[in-house]
Amino acid sequence: MTNYEEMSPAKVRELIREQTITGPTAGMSKGFAQANLVILKKEHAYDFLLFCQRNPKSCPLLDVTEVGSFKPNKIATNANILTDVPKYRIYKDGVFTEEVLDASDYWDEDMVCFLIGCSFTFETPLLAADIPIRHIEEKCNVPMYKTSIACEKAGVFEGPMVVSMRPMTYENAIRAVQITTPLPAVHGAPIHIGDPSQIGIQDIDKPDFGDSVTIKDGEIPVFWPCGVTPQAVAMQSKPSIMITHAPGCMFIGDIKDTTLSIF
Amino acid sequence: MTNYEEMSPAKVRELIREQTITGPTAGMSKGFAQANLVILKKEHAYDFLLFCQRNPKSCPLLDVTEVGSFKPNKIATNANILTDVPKYRIYKDGVFTEEVLDASDYWDEDMVCFLIGCSFTFETPLLAADIPIRHIEEKCNVPMYKTSIACEKAGVFEGPMVVSMRPMTYENAIRAVQITTPLPAVHGAPIHIGDPSQIGIQDIDKPDFGDSVTIKDGEIPVFWPCGVTPQAVAMQSKPSIMITHAPGCMFIGDIKDTTLSIF
């Protein structure tokens, strides 16, 4: 099996561009920041930028391109955001219409790309602290859930916060809070630990996005705000068109995750 | 002398509104967040929001009002941003034209208010750690300087970073880094310590905004990014109209500074 973990972001992006990699990117290019993607027309860009400012835990912005540019120059060189994500989702009028491996056909000159920090980034320091990451162990996508936590509205954008979940021992949950706290650019500390029903999750075995993972005896679920939130919000807010990454299939930038720590 | 330090934000805002307080707010309503103010027309709001996103150290946003609203509801209740700041500056086409105690006459229905975190907020935990704040001791305004550090451009907005300066002992400088690091919403850690010429400051005794303070033997200047940055940027970017606070004369919100810590 190819060792994507040790591969450079540029090389992984190349394999994505030629559609060799078409699935979740967790664990790839260890130590480099991964990002969620939202592409909108300029007419919705102010509202969305404000939405991110008002909901920094779920939508911490790493990069915003100029209008008409698909090059996220702040976090990567020689990247094309329309081809360098393994899988895209197209939303028209709030409806998820298709999943594609190349978003170029949907691009318009009046579009803006928003790159949002991703929790895969902090999995590197969690692994370094010997905290096992279940979805990496089980070679599947991280489980993600819509919650009853309402995002703060901005213009047309409103909807529920989406969270990602990692089960761990109680001791590791405390350590994970410590490790992720100085990383607000990739969601920071967990938003919830324990009882899923407290945040409106009815069945922990049925995630709204991604895959279900095993929760072992003696483990509790730990929930982080998730960059898939804009997709749940898009369904409710119905912009004419919105291009996003497919959940778990991220853009991998050239910046090291250590540079995102406030320490 | 009235004890403004222990007075509630609502009461201080009332004294400001009736123009009893018309000067710098450092040290007032101890423990509550203070904010810089920028008011722009909607046509410049997207560029400015993007400017803040790209320059989070100098422009950490605490609140953005709806278009046409002068009520910063996220950080204060029953406040009027046009009357509750001690002193305002009006910039027309990039030129500072006048200083007023009430900005109501300059308000337009298509304006948006941006409230930006202020370093006065972290003076409370510095004082709690027995770190003396010179401009409070000398009862003057904090010294602020334009630097040679360029902000990242966004649309029409570009220009130099402005910094505030507090002299302290070497030991206290280290402690101040530790104390302000978890407070990115109010500028976070210093941007520079020591030699002012390294960041383009020619004469430490001649600040561009505020007052000069004494630097004692054995002390070094410690520089933080400053929310006056948009005023230096406005001069260069020339929006048709921009209303700001006068340097040092801040808006005092109802949120406790402790809620801004990422810890």
Side-chain angles (χ1 to χ4, degrees):
Chain A
M1 190 189 152
T2 317
N3 185 0
Y4 295 131
E5 187 183 313
E6 300 297 334
M7 203 174 271
S8 77
K11 183 67 189 160
V12 171
R13 289 200 301 268
E14 192 185 312
L15 293 177
I16 290 171
R17 201 174 311 141
E18 63 188 41
Q19 302 182 1
T20 302
I21 297 171
T22 59
T25 52
M28 295 184 181
S29 294
K30 200 178 65 172
F32 290 89
Q34 301 206 10
N36 300 271
L37 172 67
V38 169
I39 302 178
L40 286 163
K41 281 180 172 284
K42 172 70 169 73
E43 60 181 293
H44 293 303
Y46 178 74
D47 283 354
F48 190 71
L49 195 51
L50 194 56
F51 182 83
C52 294
Q53 191 273 320
R54 290 182 177 168
N55 299 281
K57 286 184 182 169
S58 42
C59 303
L61 282 170
L62 295 182
D63 201 355
V64 181
T65 65
E66 299 299 320
V67 178
S69 166
F70 43 79
K71 298 196 171 298
N73 294 328
K74 196 170 171 184
I75 61 170
T77 48
N78 297 321
N80 176 343
I81 204 68
L82 303 174
T83 56
D84 295 0
V85 164
K87 206 178 282 173
Y88 301 84
R89 288 191 164 185
I90 312 297
Y91 291 85
K92 289 177 182 165
D93 299 316
V95 180
F96 164 43
T97 56
E98 57 224 298
E99 217 162 53
V100 295
L101 302 184
D102 184 323
S104 305
D105 286 350
Y106 298 88
W107 179 252
D108 243 322
E109 283 307 309
D110 66 344
M111 284 179 161
V112 180
C113 309
F114 298 88
L115 284 302
I116 295 168
C118 170
S119 58
F120 288 172
T121 309
F122 64 58
E123 292 179 347
T124 303
L126 292 180
L127 288 167
D130 292 327
I131 300 176
I133 305 292
R134 190 61 34 78
H135 61 272
I136 295 182
E137 288 180 338
E138 300 188 346
K139 296 187 191 348
C140 65
N141 200 351
V142 64
M144 292 163 269
Y145 309 83
K146 286 189 204 178
T147 69
S148 55
I149 304 166
C151 291
E152 207 181 321
K153 182 176 157 69
V156 299
F157 296 102
E158 63 182 317
M161 180 188 286
V162 174
V163 294
S164 64
M165 188 279 286
R166 292 158 185 80
M168 49 188 76
T169 64
Y170 291 78
E171 296 86 338
N172 282 343
I174 294 167
R175 192 82 188 103
V177 171
Q178 294 172 320
I179 291 170
T180 57
T181 291
L183 293 163
V186 289
H187 305 300
I191 189 90
H192 186 66
I193 291 183
D195 182 6
S197 72
Q198 295 253 336
I199 54 171
I201 298 171
Q202 301 309 319
D203 187 346
I204 198 72
D205 293 324
K206 292 190 179 147
D208 295 295
F209 305 96
D211 301 312
S212 178
V213 296
T214 311
I215 302 180
K216 298 179 185 172
D217 278 352
E219 288 185 336
I220 45 165
V222 183
F223 300 91
W224 276 270
C226 178
V228 164
T229 300
Q231 302 193 32
V233 164
M235 292 180 201
Q236 202 155 319
S237 315
K238 308 186 185 0
S240 57
I241 185 161
M242 181 169 179
I243 306 169
T244 72
H245 68 292
C249 302
M250 318 308 291
F251 177 77
I252 305 179
D254 292 334
I255 56 170
K256 289 199 175 162
D257 51 18
T258 49
T259 64
L260 297 175
S261 174
I262 65 159
F263 292 149
Chain B
M1 191 191 152
T2 319
N3 185 0
Y4 296 131
E5 188 182 312
E6 300 296 335
M7 202 174 270
S8 76
K11 182 66 188 161
V12 171
R13 289 201 301 269
E14 192 184 311
L15 294 177
I16 290 171
R17 202 174 310 143
E18 64 189 41
Q19 302 182 0
T20 302
I21 297 171
T22 59
T25 52
M28 295 183 181
S29 294
K30 200 178 65 173
F32 290 90
Q34 301 206 11
N36 300 272
L37 172 67
V38 170
I39 302 179
L40 286 163
K41 281 180 172 285
K42 174 68 169 72
E43 60 182 292
H44 293 303
Y46 178 73
D47 284 354
F48 190 71
L49 196 51
L50 194 54
F51 182 83
C52 294
Q53 190 273 320
R54 290 182 177 168
N55 299 281
K57 286 183 181 168
S58 42
C59 302
L61 282 169
L62 296 181
D63 200 355
V64 181
T65 65
E66 298 299 320
V67 178
S69 167
F70 44 78
K71 298 196 171 298
N73 294 328
K74 195 171 172 184
I75 61 170
T77 47
N78 297 321
N80 176 344
I81 204 67
L82 303 175
T83 56
D84 294 0
V85 165
K87 207 178 283 172
Y88 301 84
R89 287 191 165 186
I90 311 297
Y91 291 85
K92 289 178 182 164
D93 298 317
V95 180
F96 164 42
T97 56
E98 56 224 298
E99 217 162 53
V100 295
L101 302 184
D102 183 323
S104 305
D105 286 349
Y106 299 89
W107 179 252
D108 243 323
E109 282 307 309
D110 66 344
M111 284 179 159
V112 180
C113 309
F114 298 87
L115 283 301
I116 296 168
C118 171
S119 57
F120 289 172
T121 309
F122 64 58
E123 292 179 347
T124 303
L126 291 180
L127 288 167
D130 292 327
I131 300 175
I133 306 292
R134 190 60 36 78
H135 61 271
I136 295 182
E137 288 179 337
E138 299 188 345
K139 297 189 192 345
C140 64
N141 201 351
V142 65
M144 293 163 268
Y145 308 84
K146 286 190 204 176
T147 69
S148 55
I149 304 166
C151 290
E152 208 180 321
K153 183 177 157 68
V156 299
F157 295 103
E158 63 182 318
M161 181 189 286
V162 175
V163 295
S164 64
M165 188 278 287
R166 291 159 186 80
M168 48 187 76
T169 64
Y170 291 78
E171 296 86 338
N172 282 342
I174 294 166
R175 192 82 187 104
V177 171
Q178 294 172 320
I179 291 170
T180 56
T181 291
L183 292 163
V186 290
H187 305 300
I191 190 89
H192 186 67
I193 291 183
D195 182 5
S197 72
Q198 294 253 337
I199 54 171
I201 298 172
Q202 301 310 319
D203 187 345
I204 198 72
D205 294 322
K206 292 191 180 145
D208 295 295
F209 305 95
D211 301 312
S212 177
V213 297
T214 310
I215 303 180
K216 298 179 185 172
D217 279 352
E219 288 186 336
I220 46 165
V222 182
F223 300 92
W224 276 269
C226 177
V228 165
T229 300
Q231 301 192 32
V233 164
M235 293 181 200
Q236 203 155 319
S237 315
K238 307 186 185 3
S240 58
I241 185 160
M242 181 169 178
I243 306 169
T244 73
H245 67 292
C249 303
M250 318 308 292
F251 176 76
I252 305 180
D254 292 335
I255 56 170
K256 289 201 174 161
D257 51 18
T258 48
T259 64
L260 297 174
S261 174
I262 66 160
F263 291 150

